[in-house]
Amino acid sequence: MLRVRPIHFTSRMADYRKLLTGLGLSVSVDNDGYTEFDAGSGRMAIHAAEAGAADDGTTALGFEIRDLDEFIRRTNAAGTKAEVFEAGHGTAARIAADDGVVFLCDPAPESTTPEAAPDPDLSVLPLWMTPDVNSARKILGDIGARPRIIADAGTWVDYSARNGGLVAAHQDGTTEILLAFEYDGALETLQDRLAGTGIEATIIDENYGKSLRLPDPDGGEIWVNQKQSDLHGYTRAE
């Protein structure tokens, strides 16, 4: 089992909850300082941070797994080091990449019930920005993600997880994890839905397809890419 579940740390929990539910995600876990949301494919969480703290406004890559010991065994056998890590919320598998990205793979909860049905066409798609795409590709493959679309130039590879969610490795001069989504439908649907909550989003027509740009409560923009159909310069691995 592998499910994509990034965590965004923020001092603006209420603003993020409004944005994510307006986008079409649904609350499935709601604890003090921690909220999880189900998308149509994949999950994400927001975690309270102190305003101005180093982690305020940052996103961490994360996954859910079923069997911790088996996951660690298989990942190590594939060539990526995974180790047991005692986190504040429980025992997880910890993976550290050469570019400095560190992430946890947590045993999935037995069951969660979202407050409402999430938009089935919306997928979580965190972006692993890195100077070393090949190293990120190795790790994502070793933990069980499957390549989906590969840029011919080798600067972008996105992966699907068997139990939901997408994750992409993207060539960049800096290393960070960015929160993003993919939508398998008309972006105008999301734009209108967000407008109904008072959030203005802009549709941009890129060379490879359209994207919706949302105002990030922590500054900047959050991208929602329309599911890619134009494969000029790309190859579909599936």
Side-chain angles (χ1 to χ4, degrees), residues 108 122 154 170 206 228:
L122 186 67
H170 189 20
E206 308 279 2
Q228 191 171 343

Side-chain angles (χ1 to χ4, degrees), residues 10-227:
T10 181
S11 58
R12 301 166 180 83
M13 294 282 285
D15 291 338
Y16 255 93
R17 184 171 184 143
K18 176 183 176 181
L19 184 146
L20 293 171
T21 55
L23 192 57
L25 290 91
S26 182
V27 174
S28 54
V29 175
D30 199 7
N31 297 327
D32 184 29
Y34 180 85
T35 306
E36 278 189 13
F37 301 80
D38 280 13
S41 181
R43 287 181 178 150
M44 71 158 293
I46 54 174
H47 192 296
E50 292 291 331
D55 61 348
D56 188 15
T58 65
T59 301
L61 195 59
F63 299 86
E64 290 181 348
I65 56 176
R66 177 173 290 114
D67 187 315
L68 179 66
D69 292 338
E70 181 64 10
F71 173 82
I72 289 175
R73 185 192 70 78
R74 289 189 177 186
T75 302
N76 280 296
T80 289
K81 183 179 179 181
E83 57 186 2
V84 174
F85 182 76
E86 296 299 333
H89 58 271
T91 306
R94 179 183 183 273
I95 293 173
D98 290 340
D99 65 2
V101 167
V102 178
F103 63 90
L104 300 182
C105 299
D106 294 291
E110 290 194 6
S111 63
T112 58
T113 302
E115 293 180 350
D119 188 327
D121 295 323
L122 186 67
S123 298
V124 175
L125 174 61
L127 308 180
W128 183 346
M129 314 297 286
T130 176
D132 190 353
V133 168
N134 287 334
S135 177
R137 290 182 63 178
K138 168 68 173 166
I139 291 172
L140 292 173
D142 287 353
I143 68 172
R146 296 170 292 184
R148 189 185 63 150
I149 296 177
I150 305 169
D152 296 345
T155 55
W156 166 282
V157 184
D158 67 32
Y159 289 77
S160 62
R162 181 181 298 274
N163 295 87
L166 305 167
V167 57
H170 189 20
Q171 184 81 35
D172 195 69
T174 59
T175 301
E176 63 179 327
I177 305 299
L178 299 180
L179 184 61
F181 301 89
E182 181 182 271
Y183 196 62
D184 187 12
L187 293 178
E188 289 79 6
T189 300
L190 298 185
Q191 187 180 41
D192 290 345
R193 184 188 298 159
L194 288 163
T197 69
I199 297 173
E200 293 187 9
T202 303
I203 295 176
I204 305 295
D205 197 350
E206 308 279 2
N207 291 333
Y208 57 85
K210 293 181 178 180
S211 64
L212 185 71
R213 310 290 176 86
L214 316 178
D216 187 338
D218 287 322
E221 295 179 323
I222 297 173
W223 289 30
V224 182
N225 292 329
Q226 191 171 45
K227 186 173 182 180

